[in-house]
Amino acid sequence: MSAIRSTTPRPEGAARAASAFTDLADHIRESGLLRRRYGYYWAKLIVLPLVLAATLVLFVWVGDTWWQLFTAAALAVVFTHIAFLGHDAAHRQMFASGRWNDWISLVLGDLLVGMSYGWWQHKHTRHHANPNKVGADPDIDLPVITVAPGSAPRPRGRVVSWLRAHQGLFFFPILFLEGISLHASGVRRVFAGGALKRRWVEIAFLSVRLIGFTTLVFLVLSPGIAFAFLGVQLALFGFYMGMSFAPNHKGMPIVPKNMSLDFLERQVRMSRNIRGNRIVDFLMGGLNYQIEHHLFPSMPRPHLRRAAPIIAAYCRDRGVPYTQTGLFASYAIVVRYINRVGLGERDVFTCPLVDQRRHLIAGG
């Protein structure tokens, strides 16, 4: 991505930008789309733990058999949907009380799923503040796959060059390791230094979940089946989580370190929605409305679908690109984009942000 000489918006431009989002926020609030949905969330808070408990009872009842790999797949799906619900609580979508949302997140994330709420909150807050911004968004700083142009040295050797040029093809298989990574990152965080609220609660909850669940598996299953069970459960959990989050920002414009954008453009231009029906809404846990979620993180999940056409029309009237595509088309975009980054191309797409800034600078 090309360098930009000026990043400080003019005062009148900043005022107009702030006014633009304020007008949208007022309209969304007046439409009732920020109201709490207590019935919806209490139903999920009751049903999902019951489904998890029923699946574990089924696991014990079925006993030591290779058929348990289907139970492992079912648990991967259940854990992912509990994680989606924890995501909603962490964004204050459930209750007006921050304390209630925090404790629900701790129970859902640490105790039921085995992911540290404190680790996730720190990482995810940085992502929401600066999506796709170099040096600020941890979601584009991946250890294996390069997703930001110019962020990795040019590979040496034919094999490494070929792997880097085709890295998009390896992106999705690598997601099978994401489940292990999510658990390990949380454990590292709670035992590392630095400030962490309710550290001992997280340590206790994670210990019960990770040690207790693993012990149960080895008590019910013979060692070979137990390892296979855990492998399938972790792989499918990580893959499902990754496939739900991957379409949201990968392949959208990358923001240079020295660029400042107003809130509306920063959130809309860097996010991608996924078209689909209510089945897609359910399977992706509402993450398919990424633009709406980034603009209004505390908006309850069932309101996102209603908010989408309002926000799309608002952006269209103001010339702000509102991107949405099909689910499988989004995966193809991600693969092509990451491959082109791997080839070492710095301008992997025509970035409308750069073009707009150049025009403003030339006119100033």
Side-chain angles (χ1 to χ4, degrees):
M1 179 169 289
S2 303
I4 297 170
R5 291 178 293 167
S6 175
T7 62
T8 305
R10 295 169 180 171
E12 63 271 19
R16 284 196 299 270
S19 175
F21 179 71
T22 300
D23 291 343
L24 174 61
D26 289 342
H27 182 51
I28 291 294
R29 190 176 298 106
E30 290 167 2
S31 300
L33 296 175
L34 296 180
R35 285 201 303 263
R36 307 290 173 182
R37 291 291 300 270
Y38 293 111
Y40 172 87
Y41 279 117
W42 273 118
K44 281 192 168 290
L45 286 171
I46 293 170
V47 170
L48 277 174
L50 286 176
V51 171
L52 174 59
T55 308
L56 292 175
V57 169
L58 176 66
F59 167 74
V60 174
W61 179 74
V62 171
D64 189 24
T65 169
W66 286 101
W67 289 105
Q68 291 281 25
L69 297 186
F70 290 99
T71 312
L75 280 173
V77 174
V78 174
F79 284 139
T80 300
H81 280 270
I82 293 175
F84 289 157
L85 193 59
H87 170 265
D88 291 1
H91 278 294
R92 308 296 192 256
Q93 294 177 19
M94 291 188 183
F95 305 106
S97 167
R99 184 179 178 86
W100 271 70
N101 286 302
D102 283 342
W103 277 100
I104 291 295
S105 299
L106 286 165
V107 171
L108 295 175
D110 292 69
L111 186 60
L112 298 187
V113 178
M115 287 174 52
S116 166
Y117 167 54
W119 164 78
W120 179 89
Q121 185 185 45
H122 176 70
K123 176 177 181 290
H124 201 61
T125 299
R126 291 163 57 206
H127 161 70
H128 265 264
N130 290 286
N132 276 17
K133 185 167 186 176
V134 175
D137 183 0
D139 286 2
I140 63 172
D141 185 18
L142 304 180
V144 179
I145 300 292
T146 303
V147 299
S151 62
R154 186 173 295 275
R156 296 180 179 180
R158 291 185 179 181
V159 174
V160 176
S161 296
W162 186 91
L163 290 173
R164 181 65 61 82
H166 297 82
Q167 63 172 350
L169 299 177
F170 302 103
F171 177 74
F172 294 109
I174 286 173
L175 293 179
F176 285 110
L177 301 176
E178 183 66 10
I180 296 174
S181 175
L182 291 171
H183 292 310
S185 296
V187 171
R188 283 197 304 269
R189 179 69 181 94
V190 298
F191 286 105
L196 181 65
K197 292 178 63 176
R198 304 184 180 94
R199 181 185 301 274
W200 290 106
V201 172
E202 291 214 49
I203 290 175
F205 281 1
L206 286 174
S207 298
V208 171
R209 164 60 175 84
L210 298 177
I211 298 174
F213 179 69
T214 304
T215 301
L216 175 65
V217 169
F218 278 93
L219 286 175
V220 173
L221 305 178
S222 56
I225 300 177
F227 280 113
F229 178 92
L230 291 173
V232 169
Q233 187 268 305
L234 286 169
L236 293 182
F237 168 66
F239 187 75
Y240 191 176
M241 289 282 284
M243 293 290 279
S244 301
F245 282 90
N248 301 338
H249 303 282
K250 301 293 186 294
M252 298 303 289
I254 299 294
V255 185
K257 289 183 179 180
N258 62 342
M259 176 181 280
S260 297
L261 297 169
D262 66 78
F263 182 78
L264 181 68
E265 289 209 7
R266 181 167 72 245
Q267 303 300 343
V268 176
R269 287 182 180 271
M270 311 311 154
S271 303
R272 178 193 297 112
N273 275 15
I274 303 300
R275 287 191 295 265
N277 52 27
R278 293 188 183 276
I279 295 176
V280 175
D281 295 357
F282 171 76
L283 292 176
M284 297 194 70
L287 296 174
N288 46 318
Y289 298 107
Q290 195 66 195
I291 294 173
E292 289 69 33
H293 173 59
H294 264 254
L295 287 173
F296 301 97
S298 63
M299 179 182 289
R301 192 195 308 181
H303 288 166
L304 295 171
R305 186 177 186 86
R306 290 174 52 200
I310 297 174
I311 294 174
Y314 188 89
C315 291
R316 183 170 57 249
D317 290 344
R318 282 152 184 79
V320 179
Y322 180 99
T323 303
Q324 58 180 336
T325 186
L327 180 60
F328 294 106
S330 72
Y331 294 143
I333 291 170
V334 170
V335 170
R336 287 197 301 269
Y337 167 78
I338 294 177
N339 280 342
R340 294 183 67 184
V341 172
L343 287 170
E345 298 183 40
R346 299 185 65 87
D347 293 312
V348 294
F349 41 67
T350 300
C351 179
L353 300 174
V354 174
D355 291 342
Q356 180 181 4
R357 292 294 181 183
R358 285 172 177 164
H359 175 73
L360 290 175
I361 294 168

